[in-house]
Amino acid sequence: MKSDIADLRRNYTRDGLLEDNAPNEPLSLFASWFEQAVEIESTEANAMMLASVDADNQPHLRTLLLKGADERGFVFFTNYQSAKGQQLLERPKAAMTFWWHDLERQVRIEGEVERVSDEESDAYYHSRPVGSRLGAWASPQSEVIASRQVLEDNLARLQAQYADQEPPRPEHWGGLRLKPQLIEFWQGRPSRLHDRLCYRLVDGQWQRERLAP
């Protein structure tokens, strides 16, 4: 490598996160931070890293896009038959992380995973561009395929099949919701003395505590 990785560093000076300015529950703070990220970030503000675990306790990590967030949890969509989908349905716990570079902020979320309702999956599926809807049918996600041509051929066949009608949502494709049990907000500060406020759900109530950086 041309760069010395150990010498790469950045001093965070943009903002702080103090208890006086933080609510007693985390969801309104997430909504506020997310809206600021949408306004300021140069990349997709809803991009997140999602971690799952397989049958051998091997962690898996990938980048997804958040598609919904409310008091019930954080929603994303996937092929239920994919490696990710099977891992999350068989071991329904996960963690996700948002990193907003321009704001010098990170949010970590941990909790249980559940399928969203068919109605929610249908509504989002039919809001997507037609190419994305057909893509959900065309790609046997996570399976080994012989070449790119397999996908191109599948898509061409589906385009002909649904030329005069709306493609239905595949039964194997839909939404998952991470129901948070822990949400940690990280704000970069100078000298690596970052602010970390952690909210834990205990007996149905959010408890807030400060963590050392």
Side-chain angles (χ1 to χ4, degrees):
M1 295 185 181
K2 294 182 179 180
S3 299
D4 188 337
I5 296 176
D7 289 337
L8 297 176
R9 58 177 51 86
R10 174 180 175 181
N11 197 33
Y12 299 105
T13 60
R14 182 185 177 95
D15 208 342
L17 179 60
L18 302 179
E19 286 80 350
D20 289 346
N21 301 320
N24 292 324
E25 52 77 32
L27 300 178
S28 60
L29 181 55
F30 179 86
S32 175
W33 275 26
F34 186 82
E35 288 303 316
Q36 291 178 52
V38 169
E39 294 175 2
I40 294 174
E41 287 291 306
S42 56
T43 56
E44 291 173 303
N46 61 331
M48 54 153 181
M49 301 298 293
L50 180 76
S52 59
V53 177
D54 66 19
D56 296 322
N57 292 320
Q58 172 64 49
H60 296 260
L61 189 66
R62 76 287 287 170
T63 302
L64 297 178
L65 297 178
L66 183 74
K67 291 299 179 179
D70 57 26
E71 67 281 355
R72 296 173 298 170
F74 300 82
V75 175
F76 54 95
F77 291 83
T78 190
N79 184 322
Y80 295 138
Q81 297 174 349
S82 67
K84 169 175 71 269
Q86 292 180 55
Q87 290 161 14
L88 291 171
L89 291 173
E90 292 171 6
R91 293 159 195 82
K93 289 191 175 184
M96 61 175 57
T97 298
F98 295 85
W99 167 242
W100 294 312
H101 176 273
D102 295 340
L103 291 169
E104 301 175 352
R105 288 173 175 171
Q106 173 184 270
V107 179
R108 294 195 313 110
I109 305 169
E110 299 175 1
E112 298 181 349
V113 174
E114 66 179 11
R115 285 177 63 150
V116 306
S117 68
D118 288 343
E119 291 76 14
E120 290 176 273
S121 290
D122 286 340
Y124 176 68
Y125 179 81
H126 291 293
S127 74
R128 306 177 87 202
V130 66
S132 297
R133 281 178 273 162
L134 293 176
W137 283 102
S139 174
Q141 190 174 354
S142 300
E143 293 184 13
V144 176
I145 57 177
S147 68
R148 171 76 188 186
Q149 194 61 44
V150 172
L151 299 177
E152 301 290 352
D153 291 345
N154 286 350
L155 181 59
R157 174 178 52 80
L158 289 160
Q159 288 173 330
Q161 179 179 348
Y162 293 107
D164 300 318
Q165 58 182 310
E166 289 289 316
R169 177 178 64 86
E171 291 186 3
H172 61 263
W173 189 97
L176 294 171
R177 176 181 289 109
L178 190 154
K179 301 162 57 179
Q181 297 174 329
L182 178 150
I183 304 180
E184 181 195 310
F185 297 86
W186 180 100
Q187 176 70 62
R189 297 296 296 269
S191 304
R192 293 296 187 263
L193 296 179
H194 312 302
D195 286 326
R196 295 174 63 190
L197 292 187
C198 183
Y199 294 79
R200 301 178 191 273
L201 192 61
V202 180
D203 297 329
Q205 300 293 321
W206 288 105
Q207 295 184 2
R208 188 187 67 194
E209 54 196 2
R210 175 171 288 270
L211 304 180

